[in-house]
């Protein structure tokens, strides 16, 4: 299927002032509702990482689970979840990350990545990079080897995201 990035962008809806005033939320549900485009997006990620010998895809709660889980299936590797505080049932390690106002924690099961495993971190969107940075630190703590960070959307106009994550290989499908 021939596709340019505007076709994908046409299915990403801007919701002004959600979840709070001043934020333009990128709503990916129209894209997920479109069978051909959802398929295409997964194919683009799969092609990008097929030869990278990924052992684990790490998905960030919650929209990172959507793309991460399907990609792990396609790459025939394991899928590890990173969740907000208090959701994971087994022993975890935690990392705090900054929100617009205050901070929160992300957690990962302490046995979910083995030392030396090749890890790909996946989320729907890169904004300031704070969330992904915290996840990368959790993966480092478990001695995983981060091969890349993959996003459907990169808010490149913020610039901060790439800056904060400059030590990593970043891939995004559409940029704003
Ligand atoms: P950040 O830590 O600033 O890079 O924010 C990334 C996380 O927040 C991702 O998990 C996104 O799903 C979510 N996020 C941040 N900004 C937006 C936005 N404008 N639209 C949708 N999701 C966003």
């Amino acid at each position: 299927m021939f596709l340019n990035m505007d076709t994908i962008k046409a299915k990403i809806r801007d919701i002004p002032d959600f979840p709070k005033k001043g934020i333009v939320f990128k709503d990916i549900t129209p894209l997920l509702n479109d069978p051909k485009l959802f398929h295409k997006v997964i194919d683009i990620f799969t092609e990008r990482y097929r030869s990278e010998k990924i052992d684990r895809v790490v998905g960030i709660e919650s929209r990172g689970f959507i793309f991460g889980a399907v990609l792990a299936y396609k790459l025939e590797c394991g899928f590890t979840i990173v969740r907000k505080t208090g959701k994971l049932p087994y022993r975890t390690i935690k990392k705090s990350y900054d929100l617009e106002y205050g901070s929160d924690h992300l957690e990962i099961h302490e046995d979910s990545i083995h030392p030396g495993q090749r890890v790909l971190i996946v989320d729907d969107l890169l904004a300031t990079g704070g969330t992904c940075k915290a996840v990368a630190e959790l993966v480092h703590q478990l001695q995983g080897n981060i091969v890349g960070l993959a996003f459907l959307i990169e808010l490149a106009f913020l610039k901060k995201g790439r800056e904060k994550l400059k030590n990593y290989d970043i891939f995004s499908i559409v940029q704003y």
Side-chain angles (χ1 to χ4, degrees):
M1 174 193 177
F2 174 77
L3 178 95
N4 70 33
M5 291 309 132
D6 289 341
T7 317
I8 295 179
K9 283 187 171 178
K11 293 281 176 165
I12 298 170
R13 181 162 56 193
D14 278 358
I15 311 283
D17 298 325
F18 182 89
K20 52 181 93 143
K21 213 165 171 43
I23 302 213
V24 180
F25 191 87
K26 296 287 184 198
D27 175 18
I28 59 166
T29 61
L31 186 147
L32 298 175
N33 287 333
D34 184 312
K36 285 207 174 77
L37 277 188
F38 184 34
H39 202 271
K40 185 65 195 177
V41 159
I42 296 296
D43 283 351
I44 294 171
F45 281 132
T46 307
E47 281 311 305
R48 173 66 182 76
Y49 293 104
R50 193 192 290 287
S51 60
E52 295 275 14
K53 297 192 167 66
I54 305 293
D55 298 305
R56 279 279 194 287
V57 170
V58 171
I60 306 177
E61 183 172 2
S62 58
R63 287 180 298 277
F65 294 172
I66 299 167
F67 302 102
V70 184
L71 183 58
Y73 174 86
K74 297 286 277 185
L75 296 175
E76 299 182 52
C77 67
F79 182 56
T80 292
I81 61 180
V82 168
R83 300 206 65 182
K84 288 160 192 159
T85 322
K87 302 279 180 71
L88 287 173
Y90 185 61
R91 289 203 297 269
T92 62
I93 56 168
K94 288 192 211 336
K95 187 80 206 166
S96 72
Y97 67 113
D98 290 332
L99 295 168
E100 237 191 323
Y101 305 108
S103 67
D104 204 348
H105 287 85
L106 288 168
E107 292 185 81
I108 192 169
H109 274 154
E110 65 178 23
D111 64 349
S112 57
I113 291 168
H114 304 151
Q117 279 190 319
R118 292 173 63 77
V119 173
L120 173 67
I121 298 174
V122 176
D123 204 357
D124 66 326
L125 183 144
L126 171 63
T128 66
T131 309
C132 194
K133 182 89 192 299
V135 174
E137 283 167 15
L138 288 170
V139 173
H140 282 307
Q141 240 178 291
L142 297 178
Q143 296 172 57
N145 169 15
I146 299 175
V147 174
L149 316 175
F151 305 90
L152 171 65
I153 302 165
E154 177 178 354
L155 300 185
F157 63 85
L158 290 177
K159 293 195 175 69
K160 283 191 258 177
R162 273 197 184 252
E163 219 169 275
K164 200 173 277 169
L165 300 166
K166 60 175 180 295
N167 296 331
Y168 302 101
D169 183 79
I170 298 172
F171 173 70
S172 59
I173 296 181
V174 295
Q175 299 80 30
Y176 290 89

